[in-house]
Amino acid sequence: MNRNLTPAPSASQELGETQNRLQASQQSEQEALRQSEWLRVTLSSIGDAVICTDSDGRITFLNGVAEALTGWPADEAIGRPITDVFVIIDEQHRQVAINPTLEALREGRTVRLVNHTLLIARDGTEHPIEDSAAPIRLEGGPPLGAVLVFHDVSQRRQIEETRARLAAIVESTEDAIISKGLDGIIRTWNPAAERLFGYSASEAIGRSITCIIPPERLPEEDEILSRLVRGERIEHYETVRVTKDGRRLHISLTISPLRGADGTIIGAAKVARDITHRVESERKLAESLSRLEIAVQLSGIGFWHCDLPFAELSWDDKVREHFWLPPGSSVTIETFYERMHPDDREPTRLAIDASINGNSQFDIVYRTVDPASGAFKWIRALGGAVRDSHRKVVRFDGVTVDVSSQKQAEESLRESDRRKDDFLALLAHELRNPLAPLRAGLELLRRHASAADDHVATRDMMQRQLTHLVRLIDDLLDIARVNRNKLRLARRRLRLSEAIQHAIETVQPLVAEGQHELIVSLPDEPILLDGDLTRLAQVFANLLANSARYTPRGGCIVVSAALEGEQVVVKVSDTGIGIPAHALPTIFDMFSQVERSLESEHGGLGIGLALVKGLVEMHGGSVAAASGGRGKGSTFTVILPMAGPVASPLD
Ligand code: ADP
């Protein structure tokens, strides 16, 4: 009998094998447990959020970071569908986004989230996240579950945004922003630096910063560097830099040290602002200020101001000089009035009050008196109130000028004018005296002459010339009287027509001689005046005589009158030679004549219109001349006040 070669295992052998297998399985189980624990700890301790699901998408694991981000504690989350806990939307459209876990399970591949996904936590807070989900499966088998890994990107987003914003500022600012290393080599160069210094970024970067420093300022760079190395920041350092094309720029520099990650200084950031314009304006301002100062010194103008309520008076030394005070002496509002001539104090006070109340400038002249000698100066003070935003006067500001010499000049002019008037009056008086006997003599000759007298023509000529002479001298006497206020008016109530009638009678021979047409146009109702008939007749006679004289033969003269409100307006117009515009403003001045030769056929003295003006003004009226120019005729307008309501008997 054959025996099986393979020995049958003994019972003890079998037991041993079973034990071995058991041991091996226990070992691998322990190993699996160890690995799973190791994995759990790993997943729990990594910085990213981790969620695991089973193949149905139900949560089996959630680490601490995932708990924090979703707001779901693991014990509540486990067993729930992933879509309950991991709720995501698309940031732009705020639509629910496709859950990557489900997609990974469905498609059996790793799925990444699209950018800009927001995780909505359990309490509604939102976190921008990035994530990916991967299926878990045994080799070749169907997915047993999925693992989702994600993290919050808010901080990174913020950093990116800040960085982008800073970059935009650097790009768009008007200030040149440059950074350089400690070796002085330029590292960054913004567009404003390109515009300011003329180097493009590619030209500047890699070059030494000395390319924009003028040679004479190179030592500055060493100084700046040594301060930077000490960690100092340099602010608003004003200096000069040079552009690529050699122009010098005034710039204001702010330089800050740049530190590396370890805190050591690795370079500097410079912000350069072009202040050329400002420096230029400051220079011009300083120049004009110094010029102004010289001008002020030369002009002798003093500056003062006074803070209300007249508490603080501030004078410069020129004003002190104007008030007979030594330089630097203290002044108060009392000093101001004390040093003023007593007669000028009240008018000055009133002028200042009027300026405050009327919101206007004041311009006053007063005398200041030297208490020691009694001498005085004439001071002109100009100024006005300075108001705050509520229109309240807070201060007075102004200047003083010594006008003594002008005052003296004016005074001596007035004095010589007075002397001239006195002389004219005396002269006219003395000239008039011999005329009366001359006139009487001529009259006598006329009476005793026979019809056949040969001397009739000569005598008539003498008579005419004598009348002319009398008229001239009378005018002279009158103007001298008007100027010296020596003329008295014999006022009474009268009709304008009377005065005009008298005047016409006087000038009739002249009008006839010139063969002029004389038109008189007066209103029907009488116009009443309070005045001196003879003098008013003289006014109109002078005007009419001028019209007759200064109008070529055969002209037209019109006298018209009208009432305008309370005023009587009388116009004397002619079609004569006219008055050039340049002569109009001075036509009423004494001795004013329009460029005519002394031998003029009319032989006036240029007194007639001055007399007209003087007499009209004595009547409270005014006179004006108008003319279209040479050859265009003239119009003289006399305005007189109408007679008052109190009637005085007409005679
Ligand atoms: P005169 O004695 O020279 O006439 P007036 O004072 O009367 O002096 O006039 C001053 C000047 O004004 C005259 O010389 C003349 O040139 C000018 N003038 C006055 N009236 C007239 C007028 N109606 N037309 C043109 N010129 C006139």
Side-chain angles (χ1 to χ4, degrees):
M1 349 182 313
N2 273 344
R3 293 228 7 218
N4 197 333
L5 282 178
T6 321
S10 68
S12 66
Q13 224 176 350
E14 267 180 24
L15 189 69
E17 271 171 20
T18 311
Q19 272 175 341
N20 279 346
R21 265 202 307 274
L22 210 65
Q23 221 169 1
S25 122
Q26 267 172 356
Q27 262 173 7
S28 70
E29 219 168 89
Q30 266 171 8
E31 180 58 21
L33 263 172
R34 212 165 50 81
Q35 278 198 10
S36 118
E37 179 58 14
W38 186 75
L39 201 65
R40 200 187 55 78
V41 173
T42 307
L43 292 180
S44 304
S45 57
I46 61 173
D48 284 354
V50 179
I51 301 177
C52 299
T53 66
D54 60 16
S55 57
D56 294 333
R58 285 184 183 280
I59 296 172
T60 56
F61 173 82
L62 185 87
N63 75 351
V65 183
E67 282 182 309
L69 280 177
T70 58
W72 284 86
D75 51 359
E76 281 189 56
I78 288 170
R80 282 180 178 271
I82 182 76
T83 44
D84 283 4
V85 175
F86 185 73
V87 183
I88 51 171
I89 60 168
D90 149 42
E91 193 175 3
Q92 212 180 356
H93 304 105
R94 303 197 65 83
Q95 306 275 326
V96 175
I98 297 165
N99 200 301
T101 318
L102 300 181
E103 209 176 341
L105 285 173
R106 201 167 46 242
E107 305 209 349
R109 61 173 181 88
T110 301
V111 177
R112 284 195 173 279
L113 257 195
V114 283
N115 272 341
H116 305 294
T117 302
L118 287 179
L119 168 71
I120 315 278
R122 198 176 183 187
D123 62 1
T125 52
E126 299 180 358
H127 305 272
I129 55 160
E130 270 180 11
D131 73 353
S132 63
I136 308 170
R137 57 178 158 206
L138 294 179
E139 207 138 327
L144 302 171
V147 60
L148 174 71
V149 181
F150 58 99
H151 58 263
D152 188 342
V153 293
S154 352
Q155 219 175 2
R156 203 185 73 205
R157 278 271 190 91
Q158 244 167 26
I159 292 169
E160 276 168 10
E161 270 172 28
T162 311
R163 222 175 251 163
R165 218 171 288 137
L166 285 178
I169 292 170
V170 171
E171 284 297 297
S172 61
T173 178
E174 281 302 304
D175 292 338
I177 300 178
I178 303 163
S179 67
K180 61 170 191 186
L182 285 180
D183 51 5
I185 300 298
I186 297 168
R187 301 287 152 82
T188 64
W189 187 262
N190 76 339
E194 293 187 329
R195 286 195 295 275
L196 195 61
F197 298 111
Y199 294 98
S200 69
S202 56
E203 283 173 313
I205 293 168
R207 267 200 196 210
S208 165
I209 192 73
T210 52
C211 68
I212 58 164
I213 304 179
E216 73 278 8
R217 297 231 176 212
L218 280 173
E220 249 176 35
E221 185 59 13
D222 298 336
E223 158 74 15
I224 290 172
L225 216 71
S226 65
R227 286 176 63 183
L228 277 175
V229 172
R230 290 200 296 271
E232 278 178 45
R233 184 177 143 91
I234 299 157
E235 281 190 60
H236 311 302
Y237 177 78
E238 296 193 1
T239 182
V240 175
R241 290 293 177 258
V242 64
T243 63
K244 187 179 174 186
D245 57 9
R247 273 178 305 118
R248 303 268 157 144
L249 298 176
H250 291 276
I251 60 163
S252 163
L253 272 182
T254 293
I255 310 168
S256 319
L258 283 180
R259 292 175 192 276
D262 59 354
T264 55
I265 294 165
I266 53 165
K270 293 189 177 201
V271 179
R273 176 165 295 181
D274 184 2
I275 53 164
T276 309
H277 196 65
R278 199 196 76 201
V279 171
E280 274 301 299
S281 339
E282 279 172 359
R283 192 183 56 74
K284 279 189 191 142
L285 191 70
E287 247 176 48
S288 41
L289 271 180
S290 77
R291 267 193 228 127
L292 191 69
E293 223 158 82
I294 295 169
V296 163
Q297 269 167 15
L298 284 178
S299 68
I301 293 176
F303 289 88
W304 56 266
H305 70 256
C306 171
D307 290 332
L308 293 185
F310 297 112
E312 297 278 322
L313 208 58
S314 163
W315 286 1
D316 71 3
D317 282 343
K318 203 71 203 172
V319 184
R320 287 189 176 85
E321 191 185 311
H322 292 158
F323 279 76
W324 307 88
L325 288 165
S329 56
S330 66
V331 286
T332 63
I333 193 70
E334 279 74 35
T335 329
F336 174 66
Y337 282 113
E338 267 163 23
R339 290 281 160 129
M340 195 176 287
H341 191 287
D343 292 354
D344 298 340
R345 287 177 194 157
E346 201 44 31
T348 302
R349 213 190 299 271
L350 289 176
I352 292 176
D353 281 354
S355 155
I356 297 181
N357 299 330
N359 189 17
S360 57
Q361 292 277 309
F362 65 80
D363 183 352
I364 40 179
V365 177
Y366 47 71
R367 283 158 292 177
T368 57
V369 185
D370 176 13
S373 67
F376 63 83
K377 288 175 185 166
W378 282 100
I379 302 298
R380 182 175 174 193
L382 292 111
V386 178
R387 286 160 199 274
D388 65 9
S389 53
H390 307 292
R391 318 258 336 116
K392 195 172 150 265
V393 177
V394 285
R395 167 187 146 110
F396 258 101
D397 244 328
V399 294
T400 56
V401 196
D402 187 344
V403 291
S404 304
S405 52
Q406 282 112 293
K407 275 277 176 187
Q408 269 153 18
E410 275 171 30
E411 193 42 50
S412 70
L413 254 179
R414 250 197 303 275
E415 179 54 30
S416 64
D417 210 38
R418 254 196 307 272
R419 275 204 225 110
K420 178 210 67 192
D421 286 338
D422 289 350
F423 172 73
L424 278 183
L426 186 73
L427 180 71
H429 196 72
E430 291 303 319
L431 287 176
R432 207 176 195 281
N433 286 342
L435 295 184
L438 275 180
R439 211 183 221 173
L442 275 174
E443 182 58 23
L444 210 65
L445 284 179
R446 192 182 62 80
R447 274 202 217 141
H448 296 286
S450 66
D453 198 336
D454 297 344
H455 302 298
V456 173
T458 315
R459 213 184 47 233
D460 282 355
M461 179 271 286
M462 286 174 75
Q463 185 77 51
R464 270 201 317 279
Q465 293 301 331
L466 193 62
T467 310
H468 185 53
L469 203 59
V470 169
R471 191 179 69 85
L472 287 181
I473 290 172
D474 280 352
D475 277 1
L476 256 186
L477 259 180
D478 283 346
I479 195 74
R481 280 197 199 114
V482 169
N483 288 347
R484 297 184 316 150
N485 279 330
K486 291 268 169 67
L487 193 108
R488 295 280 158 258
L489 294 181
R491 277 182 191 267
R492 66 174 174 85
R493 181 144 295 193
L494 55 101
R495 287 198 177 97
L496 173 70
S497 54
E498 283 177 88
I500 290 178
Q501 198 49 47
H502 279 256
I504 291 173
E505 279 163 23
T506 313
V507 298
Q508 194 54 52
L510 270 177
V511 175
E513 196 187 311
Q515 296 171 3
H516 302 308
E517 183 188 1
L518 176 62
I519 301 169
V520 182
S521 159
L522 300 180
D524 292 339
E525 58 278 16
I527 294 179
L528 297 179
L529 296 167
D530 285 328
D532 182 323
L533 176 64
T534 318
R535 294 306 182 182
L536 287 178
Q538 191 179 358
V539 164
F540 298 121
N542 278 3
L543 293 178
L544 285 167
N546 278 348
S547 286
R549 283 197 212 111
Y550 300 114
T551 301
R553 189 171 290 276
C556 181
I557 301 168
V558 180
V559 187
S560 65
L563 266 182
E564 285 180 14
E566 302 283 281
Q567 294 179 321
V568 179
V569 179
V570 186
K571 287 183 193 285
V572 177
S573 342
D574 58 56
T575 53
I577 60 173
I579 303 164
H582 70 83
L584 282 173
T586 54
I587 199 94
F588 292 101
D589 292 354
M590 218 173 24
F591 312 126
S592 143
Q593 288 185 308
V594 183
E595 316 143 14
R596 273 170 210 133
S597 69
L598 279 175
E599 299 82 3
S600 145
E601 50 176 314
H602 310 299
L605 286 176
I607 289 175
L609 287 182
L611 200 53
V612 165
K613 182 166 185 264
L615 291 174
V616 168
E617 284 174 358
M618 282 179 78
H619 280 85
S622 64
V623 58
S627 171
R630 282 185 204 281
K632 301 271 173 63
S634 313
T635 297
F636 286 81
T637 306
V638 175
I639 298 178
L640 290 165
M642 210 175 74
V646 184
S648 67
L650 281 172
D651 45 9

